[in-house]
Amino acid sequence: MFSLGSWLPAWPGLAWGWALLDAVLQGLVGACAVSVLCSLLKVYLYIQCLNDPERQAEKEAIRAQRWVLGPLQAVVLTALLALVGSRVAALVVLEFSLRAASTLLSLGKGTSRGQLYLLCQYSLGCGMSCSLTFLLEGAPHSTCNLALAAGLAGLLAANARRLARHVCALYELHSRQRYCGVCILLLASGHGIPRLLRNALALTFALADLAAVELINRDFLSTAEAIRFWTPLTICYTLLVIHMQEGPRQSVYQTVLVRMGGLFILLLTVGRWADVFHVLISLLGELCCLLCAGAMLEVCQRQ
């Protein structure tokens, strides 16, 4: 019997057939998680700017953001997350978790929680992919489970995007006249959105970190081989966390380049050629997320 994979070109770390479908579904779940995060954060930031007379220009900047960017970002992230291997995705998750812990300990040095939530977009997608890979590995109906997870994630993302569109268009009117249930609920408890995001992200990254460590360690045949990989990785991540603090907007992109550059050089020495290719894909994913969240990043930096 002929197989589709025998007629298609080989890509580093990418398999055809059902494995490709699983990768696409995992990427879709990760992209939907990023979409939900951005939509809820947009709702919170818009309400905060609306309640402050001095921040009306920032409110208009959030409202003026093109709505087509959301679906376009979801499509691009789905493709990138499907291409990124589980090994590099795990490294991205671990790097962000270490950086987030350091940033939260020094929160007064220039980074708001909202900015940290925006900077974790691509890492969140990688974390969802790692968790699904770990939880469904060896499951007899993993593709069906992933399809169900993708459907539920898509439903949540669509509703969150609809909520953000409704708030940006009608919240100012509805909050004054008080006849919209959704806007009344946000008026009463909208301040709790950051706490909801904090708890959800903490739980997500805690599970993703465990999955990431397991996914990386399964490639080693001995303890000595694992030590040869983890020792330079730990040193590299520690130096990045110590010497890099998130600053103004122009340095956010520089931070991404330095982080991915450090990971690129590290994997050139202790990784595989497929890992190097996946780091370049991760760089595109990080830049895509930052570009789509440009208006919200500026609002968070001005807080």
Side-chain angles (χ1 to χ4, degrees):
M1 295 294 293
F2 293 102
S3 63
L4 181 62
S6 63
W7 295 90
L8 295 173
W11 288 82
L14 180 63
W16 299 103
W18 290 110
L20 177 60
L21 178 59
D22 290 349
V24 171
L25 291 175
Q26 288 178 3
L28 180 58
V29 173
C32 289
V34 173
S35 178
V36 171
L37 170 66
C38 291
S39 297
L40 291 180
L41 199 55
K42 180 182 292 186
V43 168
Y44 174 74
L45 291 176
Y46 183 84
I47 293 175
Q48 292 297 307
C49 293
L50 180 64
N51 295 333
D52 189 347
E54 298 181 355
R55 301 174 64 185
Q56 298 306 303
E58 299 174 10
K59 179 200 73 174
E60 294 301 326
I62 295 177
R63 175 187 285 179
Q65 189 175 12
R66 296 181 179 179
W67 292 104
V68 72
L69 288 179
L72 180 60
Q73 181 189 17
V75 172
V76 173
L77 272 183
T78 298
L80 295 177
L81 291 172
L83 289 173
V84 170
S86 59
R87 185 181 174 100
V88 171
L91 293 176
V92 171
V93 170
L94 293 176
E95 187 273 335
F96 175 78
S97 299
L98 187 60
R99 185 161 49 95
S102 174
T103 302
L104 290 175
L105 291 176
S106 58
L107 198 58
K109 295 183 179 180
T111 300
S112 67
R113 289 185 185 271
Q115 183 177 342
L116 184 62
Y117 296 157
L118 289 173
L119 295 178
C120 83
Q121 293 178 76
Y122 182 73
S123 301
L124 174 61
C126 289
M128 296 297 295
S129 180
C130 288
S131 300
L132 290 173
T133 300
F134 175 70
L135 292 174
L136 297 178
E137 188 174 22
H141 304 291
S142 59
T143 302
C144 295
N145 294 331
L146 285 172
L148 178 60
L152 293 175
L155 183 63
L156 286 175
N159 286 331
R161 194 178 299 116
R162 189 179 301 115
L163 174 64
R165 189 180 296 113
H166 175 83
V167 168
C168 289
L170 298 172
Y171 179 81
E172 187 173 3
L173 173 64
H174 289 176
S175 61
R176 290 198 305 264
Q177 299 186 359
R178 297 176 185 262
Y179 63 80
C180 173
V182 173
C183 294
I184 292 175
L185 179 63
L186 289 173
L187 185 65
S189 57
H191 60 276
I193 292 178
R195 183 171 63 252
L196 172 65
L197 293 177
R198 180 193 63 198
N199 295 335
L201 290 174
L203 179 61
T204 300
F205 277 102
L207 177 59
D209 288 338
L210 295 176
V213 173
E214 178 62 27
L215 290 175
I216 294 175
N217 284 334
R218 72 179 182 181
D219 293 331
F220 302 129
L221 300 177
S222 64
T223 304
E225 187 179 354
I227 292 175
R228 283 195 299 269
F229 180 84
W230 281 107
T231 301
L233 179 69
T234 303
I235 294 174
C236 177
Y237 279 3
T238 303
L239 291 176
L240 285 174
V241 167
I242 291 175
H243 294 287
M244 295 178 59
Q245 293 292 333
E246 307 294 353
R249 182 172 181 246
Q250 58 268 21
S251 71
V252 171
Y253 298 94
Q254 297 173 0
T255 300
V256 171
L257 292 175
V258 173
R259 285 170 40 226
M260 290 300 165
L263 188 57
F264 181 85
I265 295 174
L266 177 67
L267 291 177
L268 277 177
T269 58
V270 298
R272 307 164 182 168
W273 286 112
D275 295 336
V276 175
F277 174 71
H278 293 155
V279 170
L280 297 178
I281 295 176
S282 295
L283 175 60
L284 293 178
E286 291 274 11
L287 293 177
C288 171
C289 292
L290 292 179
L291 288 173
C292 292
M296 290 190 290
L297 270 174
E298 290 183 354
V299 172
C300 291
Q301 289 160 359
R302 293 173 182 173
Q303 283 185 335

